Coordinates of all heavy atoms in Angstrom, one line a residue:
M1030 N -56.2 27.6 1.5 CA -57.0 27.2 2.6 C -58.1 28.2 3.0 O -59.2 27.8 3.5 CB -56.1 26.8 3.8 CG -56.9 26.2 5.0 SD -55.8 25.5 6.2 CE -55.9 26.8 7.4
E1031 N -57.8 29.5 2.9 CA -58.8 30.5 3.3 C -60.1 30.4 2.5 O -61.1 30.8 3.0 CB -58.2 31.9 3.0 CG -57.1 32.3 4.0 CD -56.6 33.7 3.9 OE1 -57.0 34.4 2.9 OE2 -55.8 34.1 4.7
G1032 N -60.1 29.8 1.4 CA -61.3 29.6 0.6 C -62.3 28.7 1.2 O -63.5 28.8 0.9
D1033 N -61.9 28.0 2.2 CA -62.9 27.1 3.0 C -63.5 27.7 4.1 O -64.4 27.1 4.8 CB -62.1 25.8 3.5 CG -61.6 25.0 2.4 OD1 -62.2 25.0 1.3 OD2 -60.5 24.3 2.6
F1034 N -63.2 29.0 4.4 CA -63.7 29.7 5.6 C -64.3 31.1 5.2 O -64.0 31.6 4.1 CB -62.6 29.9 6.6 CG -61.9 28.7 7.0 CD1 -60.8 28.2 6.4 CD2 -62.5 27.9 8.1 CE1 -60.2 27.0 6.8 CE2 -61.9 26.7 8.5 CZ -60.8 26.3 7.8
N1035 N -65.2 31.6 6.1 CA -65.7 33.0 5.8 C -65.3 33.9 6.9 O -65.8 35.1 6.9 CB -67.2 32.9 5.6 CG -68.0 32.5 6.8 OD1 -67.5 32.0 7.8 ND2 -69.3 32.6 6.7
L1036 N -64.5 33.5 7.9 CA -64.0 34.4 9.0 C -62.6 34.1 9.3 O -62.2 32.9 9.5 CB -64.9 34.2 10.2 CG -64.5 35.1 11.4 CD1 -64.6 36.6 11.1 CD2 -65.3 34.7 12.7
K1037 N -61.8 35.2 9.3 CA -60.4 35.1 9.7 C -60.2 36.1 10.8 O -60.4 37.3 10.6 CB -59.5 35.4 8.5 CG -58.0 35.4 8.8 CD -57.2 35.7 7.6 CE -55.7 35.8 7.8 NZ -55.0 36.1 6.6
L1038 N -59.8 35.6 12.0 CA -59.4 36.5 13.1 C -57.9 36.5 13.3 O -57.3 35.4 13.3 CB -60.1 36.0 14.4 CG -61.6 35.9 14.4 CD1 -62.1 35.2 15.7 CD2 -62.3 37.2 14.2
A1039 N -57.3 37.7 13.4 CA -55.9 37.8 13.5 C -55.7 38.6 14.9 O -56.3 39.6 15.1 CB -55.3 38.6 12.4
F1040 N -54.7 38.1 15.6 CA -54.4 38.6 17.0 C -53.0 39.2 17.1 O -52.1 38.5 16.8 CB -54.6 37.5 18.0 CG -55.9 36.8 17.8 CD1 -55.9 35.5 17.2 CD2 -57.1 37.3 18.2 CE1 -57.1 34.8 17.1 CE2 -58.3 36.6 18.1 CZ -58.3 35.4 17.5
A1041 N -52.9 40.4 17.6 CA -51.6 41.0 17.7 C -51.7 42.1 18.8 O -52.8 42.5 19.2 CB -51.1 41.7 16.4
N1042 N -50.6 42.6 19.3 CA -50.6 43.8 20.1 C -50.3 45.0 19.3 O -50.0 44.9 18.1 CB -49.7 43.7 21.3 CG -48.2 43.6 21.0 OD1 -47.8 44.1 19.9 ND2 -47.4 43.1 21.9
T1043 N -50.5 46.2 19.9 CA -50.4 47.4 19.1 C -49.0 47.7 18.7 O -48.7 48.5 17.8 CB -50.9 48.6 19.9 OG1 -50.3 48.7 21.2 CG2 -52.4 48.6 20.1
A1044 N -48.0 47.0 19.2 CA -46.6 47.1 18.8 C -46.3 46.2 17.6 O -45.2 46.3 17.0 CB -45.6 46.7 19.9
G1045 N -47.3 45.4 17.2 CA -47.2 44.6 16.0 C -46.8 43.1 16.3 O -46.7 42.3 15.3
A1046 N -46.6 42.8 17.5 CA -46.2 41.4 17.8 C -47.5 40.5 17.8 O -48.5 40.9 18.4 CB -45.6 41.3 19.2
Y1047 N -47.4 39.4 17.1 CA -48.5 38.5 17.0 C -48.7 37.8 18.4 O -47.8 37.6 19.1 CB -48.3 37.4 15.9 CG -48.4 37.9 14.5 CD1 -47.3 38.0 13.7 CD2 -49.7 38.3 14.1 CE1 -47.5 38.5 12.4 CE2 -49.8 38.8 12.8 CZ -48.7 38.9 11.9 OH -48.9 39.4 10.7
L1048 N -50.0 37.5 18.7 CA -50.3 36.8 19.9 C -51.0 35.5 19.7 O -51.6 35.3 18.7 CB -51.3 37.7 20.7 CG -50.9 39.2 21.0 CD1 -52.0 40.0 21.6 CD2 -49.6 39.2 21.9
S1049 N -50.8 34.6 20.7 CA -51.5 33.3 20.7 C -52.1 33.1 22.0 O -52.0 33.9 22.9 CB -50.5 32.2 20.3 OG -49.4 32.1 21.2
D1050 N -52.7 31.9 22.2 CA -53.3 31.6 23.5 C -54.4 32.6 23.8 O -54.5 33.0 25.0 CB -52.2 31.5 24.6 CG -52.8 30.7 25.8 OD1 -53.5 29.8 25.6 OD2 -52.4 31.1 27.0
I1051 N -55.2 32.9 22.8 CA -56.3 33.9 23.0 C -57.6 33.1 23.2 O -57.9 32.2 22.4 CB -56.4 34.8 21.7 CG1 -55.1 35.5 21.4 CG2 -57.6 35.7 21.9 CD1 -54.6 36.4 22.4
K1052 N -58.3 33.4 24.2 CA -59.6 32.7 24.4 C -60.7 33.4 23.6 O -60.8 34.7 23.7 CB -60.0 32.9 25.9 CG -61.4 32.5 26.3 CD -61.5 31.0 26.2 CE -62.9 30.6 26.8 NZ -63.5 29.5 26.2
V1053 N -61.3 32.7 22.7 CA -62.2 33.3 21.7 C -63.6 32.6 21.9 O -63.7 31.4 21.9 CB -61.8 33.0 20.2 CG1 -62.8 33.6 19.3 CG2 -60.4 33.7 20.0
T1054 N -64.6 33.5 22.0 CA -66.0 33.0 22.0 C -66.8 33.8 20.9 O -66.7 35.0 20.9 CB -66.7 33.2 23.4 OG1 -65.8 32.6 24.4 CG2 -68.1 32.7 23.5
I1055 N -67.5 33.1 20.1 CA -68.4 33.7 19.1 C -69.8 33.4 19.4 O -70.1 32.2 19.6 CB -68.0 33.3 17.7 CG1 -66.5 33.6 17.4 CG2 -68.9 33.9 16.7 CD1 -66.0 33.2 16.0
V1056 N -70.6 34.4 19.5 CA -72.0 34.3 19.9 C -72.9 34.8 18.8 O -72.6 35.8 18.2 CB -72.3 35.1 21.2 CG1 -73.7 35.0 21.6 CG2 -71.4 34.6 22.3
N1057 N -73.9 34.0 18.4 CA -74.8 34.4 17.3 C -75.9 35.4 17.8 O -75.9 35.8 19.0 CB -75.5 33.2 16.6 CG -76.5 32.5 17.5 OD1 -76.9 32.9 18.5 ND2 -76.8 31.2 17.1
A1058 N -76.7 35.9 16.9 CA -77.7 36.9 17.2 C -78.7 36.5 18.3 O -79.4 37.3 18.9 CB -78.4 37.4 16.0
S1059 N -78.9 35.1 18.5 CA -79.8 34.6 19.5 C -79.1 34.4 20.8 O -79.6 33.8 21.7 CB -80.3 33.3 19.0 OG -81.1 33.4 17.8
D1060 N -77.8 34.9 20.9 CA -77.0 34.8 22.1 C -76.6 33.4 22.4 O -76.4 33.0 23.6 CB -77.7 35.5 23.3 CG -76.7 36.0 24.4 OD1 -75.6 36.4 23.9 OD2 -77.0 36.1 25.6
R1061 N -76.5 32.6 21.4 CA -76.0 31.2 21.5 C -74.5 31.1 21.1 O -74.1 31.6 20.1 CB -76.9 30.3 20.7 CG -76.5 28.9 20.8 CD -77.5 28.0 20.0 NE -77.1 26.6 20.3 CZ -77.6 25.6 19.6 NH1 -78.6 25.8 18.7 NH2 -77.3 24.4 19.8
V1062 N -73.7 30.5 22.0 CA -72.3 30.3 21.6 C -72.2 29.3 20.5 O -72.7 28.2 20.6 CB -71.5 29.8 22.9 CG1 -70.1 29.4 22.5 CG2 -71.6 30.8 24.0
V1063 N -71.5 29.7 19.4 CA -71.3 28.9 18.3 C -69.9 28.4 18.1 O -69.6 27.5 17.4 CB -71.8 29.5 17.0 CG1 -73.3 29.8 17.0 CG2 -71.1 30.8 16.7
L1064 N -69.0 29.1 18.8 CA -67.6 28.7 18.8 C -67.0 29.2 20.2 O -67.2 30.3 20.6 CB -66.8 29.4 17.7 CG -65.3 28.9 17.6 CD1 -65.0 28.8 16.1 CD2 -64.4 29.9 18.2
D1065 N -66.2 28.2 20.8 CA -65.5 28.5 22.1 C -64.2 27.8 22.0 O -64.2 26.6 22.0 CB -66.4 28.0 23.2 CG -65.8 28.4 24.6 OD1 -65.0 29.3 24.7 OD2 -66.2 27.7 25.6
A1066 N -63.1 28.6 21.9 CA -61.8 28.0 21.6 C -60.7 28.8 22.2 O -60.9 30.0 22.5 CB -61.6 27.8 20.1
T1067 N -59.5 28.2 22.3 CA -58.3 29.0 22.7 C -57.3 28.8 21.5 O -57.1 27.6 21.1 CB -57.7 28.5 24.0 OG1 -58.7 28.7 25.0 CG2 -56.5 29.2 24.4
T1068 N -56.8 29.9 21.0 CA -56.0 29.8 19.8 C -54.6 29.2 20.2 O -54.1 29.4 21.3 CB -55.8 31.1 19.2 OG1 -55.0 32.0 20.0 CG2 -57.1 31.8 18.8
E1069 N -54.0 28.5 19.2 CA -52.6 28.0 19.3 C -51.7 29.0 18.6 O -50.5 28.9 18.8 CB -52.5 26.6 18.8 CG -53.3 25.6 19.6 CD -53.1 24.2 19.1 OE1 -52.2 23.9 18.3 OE2 -53.9 23.3 19.5
G1070 N -52.2 29.8 17.8 CA -51.4 30.7 17.0 C -52.1 32.1 16.9 O -53.1 32.3 17.5
P1071 N -51.6 33.0 16.0 CA -52.1 34.3 15.9 C -53.3 34.4 15.0 O -53.8 35.5 14.8 CB -50.9 35.1 15.3 CG -50.2 34.1 14.5 CD -50.3 32.8 15.3
I1072 N -53.7 33.3 14.4 CA -54.9 33.4 13.4 C -55.8 32.3 13.8 O -55.4 31.1 14.0 CB -54.4 33.2 12.0 CG1 -53.6 34.5 11.6 CG2 -55.6 33.1 11.0 CD1 -52.9 34.4 10.3
L1073 N -57.1 32.6 13.7 CA -58.2 31.6 13.9 C -59.1 31.7 12.7 O -59.6 32.8 12.3 CB -59.0 31.8 15.2 CG -60.1 30.8 15.4 CD1 -59.8 30.1 16.7 CD2 -61.4 31.5 15.4
M1074 N -59.4 30.6 12.0 CA -60.3 30.6 10.9 C -61.5 29.9 11.3 O -61.5 28.9 12.1 CB -59.6 29.8 9.7 CG -58.3 30.3 9.3 SD -58.3 31.9 8.5 CE -59.2 31.6 7.0
A1075 N -62.7 30.3 10.8 CA -64.0 29.7 11.1 C -64.9 29.8 9.9 O -64.7 30.7 9.0 CB -64.6 30.4 12.3
N1076 N -65.8 28.9 9.8 CA -66.8 28.9 8.8 C -68.2 29.0 9.5 O -68.6 28.0 10.1 CB -66.7 27.7 7.9 CG -67.6 27.8 6.7 OD1 -67.9 29.0 6.3 ND2 -67.9 26.7 6.0
L1077 N -68.8 30.2 9.5 CA -70.0 30.4 10.2 C -71.2 30.5 9.2 O -71.0 31.0 8.1 CB -70.0 31.7 10.9 CG -68.8 31.9 12.0 CD1 -68.8 33.3 12.5 CD2 -69.0 30.9 13.1
P1078 N -72.4 30.1 9.6 CA -73.6 30.4 8.8 C -73.7 32.0 8.6 O -73.3 32.7 9.5 CB -74.7 29.9 9.6 CG -74.1 28.8 10.5 CD -72.8 29.4 10.8
A1079 N -74.2 32.4 7.5 CA -74.4 33.8 7.3 C -75.2 34.4 8.4 O -76.2 33.8 8.9 CB -75.1 34.1 5.9
G1080 N -74.8 35.6 8.9 CA -75.6 36.2 10.0 C -74.7 37.1 10.8 O -73.5 37.4 10.5
D1081 N -75.3 37.7 11.9 CA -74.7 38.6 12.8 C -74.1 37.9 14.0 O -74.8 37.0 14.6 CB -75.6 39.7 13.2 CG -76.1 40.6 12.1 OD1 -75.3 40.8 11.2 OD2 -77.3 40.9 12.0
Y1082 N -72.9 38.3 14.5 CA -72.3 37.6 15.6 C -71.5 38.7 16.4 O -71.2 39.8 15.9 CB -71.2 36.6 15.1 CG -71.8 35.5 14.3 CD1 -72.0 35.6 12.9 CD2 -72.2 34.3 14.9 CE1 -72.6 34.6 12.2 CE2 -72.8 33.3 14.2 CZ -72.9 33.4 12.8 OH -73.5 32.4 12.1
R1083 N -71.2 38.3 17.6 CA -70.3 39.0 18.5 C -69.1 38.1 18.7 O -69.2 37.0 19.2 CB -71.0 39.4 19.8 CG -70.1 40.3 20.7 CD -70.7 40.6 22.0 NE -70.6 39.5 22.9 CZ -71.6 38.8 23.4 NH1 -72.8 39.2 23.2 NH2 -71.4 37.8 24.2
V1084 N -67.9 38.7 18.5 CA -66.7 38.0 18.8 C -66.1 38.6 20.0 O -65.8 39.8 20.1 CB -65.7 38.1 17.6 CG1 -64.3 37.5 17.9 CG2 -66.2 37.6 16.3
D1085 N -65.9 37.7 21.0 CA -65.2 38.1 22.3 C -63.9 37.4 22.4 O -63.8 36.2 22.2 CB -66.1 37.7 23.5 CG -67.4 38.4 23.5 OD1 -67.5 39.6 23.2 OD2 -68.4 37.8 23.9
A1086 N -62.8 38.1 22.6 CA -61.5 37.6 22.7 C -60.8 38.1 23.9 O -60.9 39.3 24.2 CB -60.7 37.9 21.4
V1087 N -60.0 37.3 24.6 CA -59.4 37.7 25.8 C -57.9 37.3 25.8 O -57.6 36.1 25.5 CB -60.0 37.1 27.1 CG1 -59.3 37.5 28.3 CG2 -61.5 37.4 27.2
S1088 N -57.0 38.3 26.0 CA -55.6 38.0 26.1 C -55.1 38.5 27.4 O -55.2 39.7 27.8 CB -54.8 38.8 25.0 OG -53.4 38.6 25.1
I1089 N -54.6 37.5 28.2 CA -54.1 37.8 29.5 C -55.0 38.7 30.4 O -54.7 39.7 30.9 CB -52.7 38.5 29.5 CG1 -51.8 37.7 28.5 CG2 -52.0 38.5 30.9 CD1 -50.4 38.4 28.3
G1090 N -56.3 38.3 30.3 CA -57.3 39.0 31.1 C -57.8 40.3 30.5 O -58.7 41.0 31.1
H1091 N -57.4 40.7 29.3 CA -57.8 41.9 28.7 C -58.8 41.6 27.5 O -58.4 41.0 26.5 CB -56.6 42.7 28.1 CG -55.6 43.1 29.2 ND1 -55.8 44.2 30.0 CD2 -54.5 42.5 29.6 CE1 -54.8 44.3 30.9 NE2 -54.0 43.3 30.6
P1092 N -60.0 41.9 27.7 CA -61.0 41.6 26.6 C -61.1 42.6 25.5 O -60.8 43.7 25.6 CB -62.4 41.6 27.4 CG -62.1 42.7 28.5 CD -60.7 42.5 28.8
E1093 N -61.4 42.0 24.3 CA -61.7 42.8 23.1 C -63.0 42.2 22.5 O -63.1 40.9 22.5 CB -60.6 42.7 22.1 CG -59.4 43.6 22.4 CD -59.6 45.0 22.3 OE1 -60.4 45.5 21.4 OE2 -59.0 45.8 23.1
S1094 N -63.9 43.0 22.0 CA -65.1 42.5 21.3 C -65.3 43.2 20.0 O -65.0 44.4 19.9 CB -66.3 42.7 22.2 OG -66.3 41.9 23.4
R1095 N -65.9 42.5 19.1 CA -66.3 43.1 17.8 C -67.7 42.5 17.4 O -67.9 41.3 17.6 CB -65.3 42.7 16.7 CG -63.9 43.2 16.9 CD -63.8 44.7 16.7 NE -62.4 45.2 16.7 CZ -61.7 45.3 17.8 NH1 -62.2 45.0 19.0 NH2 -60.5 45.7 17.8
N1096 N -68.5 43.3 16.8 CA -69.7 42.8 16.2 C -69.4 42.6 14.7 O -68.8 43.5 14.1 CB -70.9 43.8 16.4 CG -71.3 43.9 17.8 OD1 -71.4 42.9 18.5 ND2 -71.6 45.1 18.3
I1097 N -69.8 41.5 14.2 CA -69.5 41.2 12.8 C -70.7 40.6 12.1 O -71.6 40.2 12.7 CB -68.3 40.2 12.7 CG1 -68.7 38.8 13.3 CG2 -67.0 40.7 13.3 CD1 -67.8 37.7 12.9
T1098 N -70.6 40.7 10.8 CA -71.6 40.0 9.9 C -70.9 39.1 9.0 O -70.1 39.6 8.2 CB -72.5 41.1 9.2 OG1 -73.1 41.9 10.1 CG2 -73.5 40.4 8.3
A1099 N -71.2 37.8 9.1 CA -70.6 36.8 8.2 C -71.5 36.6 7.0 O -72.7 36.6 7.1 CB -70.4 35.5 9.0
A1100 N -70.8 36.4 5.9 CA -71.6 36.2 4.6 C -71.1 34.9 4.0 O -69.9 34.5 4.2 CB -71.4 37.3 3.7
A1101 N -72.0 34.1 3.4 CA -71.6 32.9 2.7 C -70.6 33.2 1.6 O -70.9 34.1 0.8 CB -72.8 32.1 2.3
G1102 N -69.5 32.4 1.5 CA -68.6 32.5 0.3 C -67.8 33.8 0.3 O -67.1 34.1 -0.7
K1103 N -67.7 34.6 1.4 CA -66.9 35.8 1.4 C -66.1 35.8 2.7 O -66.7 35.8 3.8 CB -67.8 37.0 1.3 CG -67.1 38.3 1.2 CD -68.0 39.5 1.0 CE -67.2 40.8 1.0 NZ -68.0 42.0 1.0
L1104 N -64.8 36.0 2.5 CA -63.9 36.0 3.7 C -63.9 37.3 4.4 O -63.7 38.3 3.7 CB -62.5 35.6 3.3 CG -61.5 35.5 4.5 CD1 -61.9 34.4 5.5 CD2 -60.1 35.3 3.9
L1105 N -64.3 37.4 5.7 CA -64.2 38.6 6.5 C -63.0 38.4 7.4 O -62.8 37.5 8.1 CB -65.5 38.7 7.3 CG -65.5 39.8 8.4 CD1 -65.4 41.2 7.7 CD2 -66.7 39.7 9.3
T1106 N -62.1 39.4 7.3 CA -60.9 39.4 8.2 C -61.1 40.5 9.2 O -61.4 41.6 8.9 CB -59.6 39.7 7.3 OG1 -59.5 38.7 6.3 CG2 -58.4 39.7 8.2
V1107 N -60.9 40.1 10.5 CA -61.0 41.0 11.6 C -59.7 40.9 12.4 O -59.2 39.9 12.8 CB -62.2 40.5 12.5 CG1 -62.3 41.4 13.8 CG2 -63.5 40.5 11.8
D1108 N -59.1 42.1 12.6 CA -57.9 42.2 13.4 C -58.2 42.7 14.8 O -58.9 43.7 15.0 CB -56.9 43.3 12.8 CG -56.3 42.9 11.5 OD1 -55.9 41.7 11.3 OD2 -56.3 43.7 10.5
L1109 N -57.8 41.9 15.8 CA -58.0 42.3 17.2 C -56.6 42.6 17.8 O -55.7 41.8 17.6 CB -58.7 41.1 17.9 CG -60.1 40.9 17.4 CD1 -60.3 39.5 17.0 CD2 -61.1 41.3 18.5
R1110 N -56.5 43.8 18.4 CA -55.2 44.2 18.9 C -55.4 44.7 20.4 O -56.4 45.3 20.7 CB -54.7 45.4 18.1 CG -54.4 45.0 16.6 CD -53.6 46.0 15.9 NE -53.4 45.5 14.5 CZ -52.2 45.0 14.1 NH1 -51.2 45.0 15.0 NH2 -52.1 44.6 12.9
W1111 N -54.4 44.3 21.1 CA -54.3 44.7 22.5 C -53.1 45.6 22.7 O -52.2 45.7 21.9 CB -54.1 43.5 23.4 CG -55.3 42.6 23.5 CD1 -56.2 42.7 24.5 CD2 -55.8 41.6 22.6 NE1 -57.3 41.8 24.3 CE2 -57.0 41.1 23.1 CE3 -55.4 41.1 21.3 CZ2 -57.7 40.1 22.4 CZ3 -56.1 40.2 20.7 CH2 -57.3 39.7 21.2
G1112 N -53.1 46.3 23.9 CA -52.0 47.2 24.2 C -50.6 46.4 24.2 O -50.6 45.2 24.3
P1113 N -49.5 47.2 24.2 CA -48.2 46.5 24.1 C -47.9 45.7 25.3 O -47.0 44.8 25.3 CB -47.2 47.7 24.0 CG -48.0 48.9 24.4 CD -49.4 48.6 24.2
G1114 N -48.6 45.8 26.4 CA -48.4 45.0 27.6 C -48.8 43.5 27.4 O -48.3 42.6 28.1
C1115 N -49.6 43.3 26.4 CA -50.0 41.9 26.1 C -49.0 41.3 25.2 O -48.5 41.9 24.2 CB -51.4 41.9 25.4 SG -52.7 42.3 26.5
R1116 N -48.6 40.1 25.5 CA -47.6 39.4 24.7 C -47.9 37.9 24.6 O -48.7 37.3 25.2 CB -46.2 39.6 25.2 CG -46.1 39.4 26.7 CD -44.7 39.7 27.2 NE -44.4 40.2 28.5 CZ -45.1 40.3 29.6 NH1 -46.3 40.1 29.5 NH2 -44.6 40.7 30.7

């Protein structure tokens, strides 16, 4: 299934426990929201047009952000981790 996507986001805390119910927003270089979702599990897959993006993710009020570059036909995996207080 991963072959159908070019972005894989994985969510966990620093103790290694996987997290779900993460609020995710992906914004393109023009500051336009291209994805706005809440995860049901510890992984979110997306297929984005090639380009630069900012990924914002929030777990229990604690934000994490990453700047990424998506490429066509190439899977980018991004791990987002929160302190052990997040579960």
Side-chain angles (χ1 to χ4, degrees):
M1030 186 169 102
E1031 287 183 355
D1033 295 332
F1034 301 94
N1035 64 350
L1036 177 62
K1037 176 182 180 181
L1038 302 176
F1040 311 102
N1042 67 22
T1043 54
Y1047 287 111
L1048 302 174
S1049 61
D1050 198 34
I1051 306 296
K1052 170 75 170 143
V1053 178
T1054 306
I1055 300 177
V1056 179
N1057 67 15
S1059 299
D1060 209 28
R1061 183 174 182 190
V1062 174
V1063 297
L1064 186 139
D1065 187 18
T1067 300
T1068 68
E1069 293 183 13
I1072 294 174
L1073 180 120
M1074 305 293 292
N1076 193 20
L1077 303 172
D1081 296 323
Y1082 298 89
R1083 185 184 74 241
V1084 176
D1085 297 320
V1087 180
S1088 176
I1089 313 174
H1091 300 280
E1093 286 288 329
S1094 291
R1095 299 286 186 282
N1096 291 317
I1097 64 164
T1098 300
K1103 183 177 180 186
L1104 181 64
L1105 171 65
T1106 300
V1107 178
D1108 293 316
L1109 293 126
R1110 296 193 180 255
W1111 286 265
C1115 290
R1116 45 185 154 7

